[in-house]
Amino acid sequence: AAEHAAIAGYADYDEFARQVAALAKPGSCEVSALATTLGGRKIFLLSITAGPIPAADKPAILIVGNVHAPQLMGSELAMRMARQLLDRAGKDAAVKSLLERFAFYIIPRPSPDASEAFFQLPRREREGNLRNTRDPRDPDAADPAADLNSDGMITMMRVADPAGHWIPHPADPRVLIRVNHDQPEHGRYELYPEGRHDDDAAPVEGWGEGVAFNHNFPFRYPYFKRGAGPNAVSEIETRAVADFAFDHPNIAIVFCFSPEDNLMHPWRPGGDQGRGKTSLLPDDEAEFAHVAETYRGIQHESDAPESPPGEGSFSEWAYFQYGRWSFAARGWWVPKVPAPAGKPASNDPRGADELNALNWLAREKIDGFIPWTPIHHPDFPGQVVEIGGFKPFVLLNPPAKQLDPLAERHTDFVLQLARLMPELKISEARAELLGGGIQRVSVAVANLGYLPTASAMGQLSGEVYPLLLRLDAPKGSTYLKGSPRTELERIRGGDQIRCTWLIRPPGGKPAAATVRVSAPAAGSATTTIELK
């Protein structure tokens, strides 16, 4: 529907699938499907790398598109980032070198059934998949959304009610604000999503509209809430993504587009004392702050909206339970726009975002607000009912002309993430003959990168494979101190760990020992030591 500014230029599932298929290129971009949804749509995976080493055998960054289904911009940006990674690798030797060292896994549209509501009539910001979540024992418990004014969109209803909780904003009556009972204000409206309304005194709820990908993960899972599902990871979509993550221990960093933004609003440590951690570990704070500062420096943006609390969200699960460095960006938001000349200013924080959105729509000449228009509503006899408000998706997704430059900056960011990855090196290695055929073998394992070899949360949870240090001495050697394989603690960027063995190799001829340190998400380093 070209007339809807938030829809024009975005790809529906069929076009999206064609775009995914066009990216497939042996040796550079492998295309596969993690699962097929209830609606018959595939959850696509792009594996991007370079060089002879397979993606699964090198550290990787996982990029996930719109974990909040109505924010389809995240899917569009992820697809553009995939194209740009491939294009840059073909033109820039430095980018190609990064892709030879690291892999990028991209899941651009993790919940395609829910995202397709972007293109279906009536248009509504649907978070849930096609799971039937209506309670069969109580078919009247949910009030169905309905396009009562036949404009092809589900917006809002304001119902005249002197006991209501909403009043018009004094600076612009199109905007409704909640009554402040500490002031001499009296309600004028009650506010509901557009649809039918029964007599249970509850708003039009939209229950029954599936399970939301971004509320179905087990960390802070919102039991019995709308969109949460019957249990955590109950859905094809969430299981497919979680299974892929656990099946790929080489994933070091997770980056997604999400309302739970921790790059413009970095996480802070809390006072967790128990075993279950619900806030950033202090030992991870410096790295999170540095990455957030890096992101803000690339984006050159400010005034980002506050992040909602994550309830079953993907980005929080990726850190707190999957144990990876997890970074989430909103990607875009309605920018701050000065009010037009002559328009009354307001110091009331209520409705400030909506007023700013109206100013932005006017500046951009986007028809994104439906004026409040009276209708006859059979469920509110004798009351004035009006339908109007912001069009679906228009405040969550930028005009398509902004997608390419946004993707450029986010591609710059994920490439910078790759440059911050751990880099293992065996910085010292030597053997000393002690007498009696005994040799002391000493090594120092260094991390030349910025990020530690694992997050503190990953080490605490045990979900990140530890560093494994292996000494392969000549066959028949006796280990007097140390063992052939040793697990190391995580190594912070710029630090090193020293290890020593005492061995007695079989005598009679010159020999060498091989030392290797590796972890799937941190890479590897190998050296050879000539024994004395």
Side-chain angles (χ1 to χ4, degrees), residues 3-6 153 361-362 364-371 391 394:
E3 74 280 358
H4 189 344
M153 288 172 276
L361 291 172
E364 298 296 318
K365 296 180 173 57
I366 295 173
D367 180 16
F369 190 92
I370 297 174
K391 292 183 178 182
V394 74

Side-chain angles (χ1 to χ4, degrees), residues 137-180:
R137 299 164 297 179
D138 188 8
D140 297 324
D143 302 327
D147 182 14
L148 300 179
N149 62 349
S150 301
D151 65 355
M153 288 172 276
I154 302 297
T155 51
M156 300 297 291
M157 299 190 305
R158 66 180 190 184
V159 180
D161 186 344
H165 295 84
W166 300 85
I167 58 174
H169 197 292
D172 193 323
R174 292 176 294 177
V175 173
L176 298 184
I177 57 176
R178 275 195 171 272
V179 170
N180 182 352

Side-chain angles (χ1 to χ4, degrees), residues 267-400:
W267 291 339
R268 304 295 182 192
D272 293 340
Q273 300 297 325
R275 295 180 61 187
K277 305 301 180 183
T278 58
S279 58
L280 182 71
L281 293 185
D283 283 347
D284 288 333
E285 182 180 17
E287 288 79 13
F288 268 89
H290 178 79
V291 171
E293 183 180 4
T294 299
Y295 179 81
R296 293 193 296 271
I298 292 172
Q299 297 302 315
H300 302 296
E301 298 286 356
S302 60
D303 298 321
E306 289 297 323
S307 295
E311 292 188 311
S313 71
F314 171 74
S315 61
E316 292 192 354
W317 168 84
Y319 173 72
F320 288 98
Q321 294 184 334
Y322 184 49
R324 268 51 175 193
W325 304 104
S326 178
F327 305 111
R330 189 178 293 262
W332 175 87
W333 55 90
V334 174
K336 298 296 183 185
V337 176
K343 189 171 183 178
S346 171
N347 295 322
D348 192 332
R350 294 175 297 173
D353 289 341
E354 290 79 3
L355 292 176
N356 180 69
L358 289 171
N359 294 337
W360 173 73
L361 291 172
R363 188 190 73 178
E364 298 296 318
K365 296 180 173 57
I366 295 173
D367 180 16
F369 190 92
I370 297 174
W372 296 106
T373 305
I375 67 159
H376 170 72
H377 199 303
D379 298 331
F380 296 97
Q383 292 179 272
V384 176
V385 179
E386 299 168 281
I387 290 179
F390 291 100
K391 292 183 178 182
F393 308 110
V394 74
L395 302 186
L396 292 175
N397 301 281

Side-chain angles (χ1 to χ4, degrees), residues 188-231:
R188 287 182 53 187
Y189 297 103
E190 202 54 86
L191 192 62
Y192 309 107
E194 182 181 356
R196 298 302 305 274
H197 182 82
D198 62 23
D199 59 359
D200 61 3
V204 179
E205 296 161 331
W207 287 86
E209 290 203 343
V211 178
F213 179 88
N214 205 35
H215 294 310
N216 193 233
F217 284 86
F219 183 73
R220 277 203 276 250
Y221 176 69
Y223 292 95
F224 311 118
K225 289 190 177 181
R226 173 185 174 183
N231 53 267

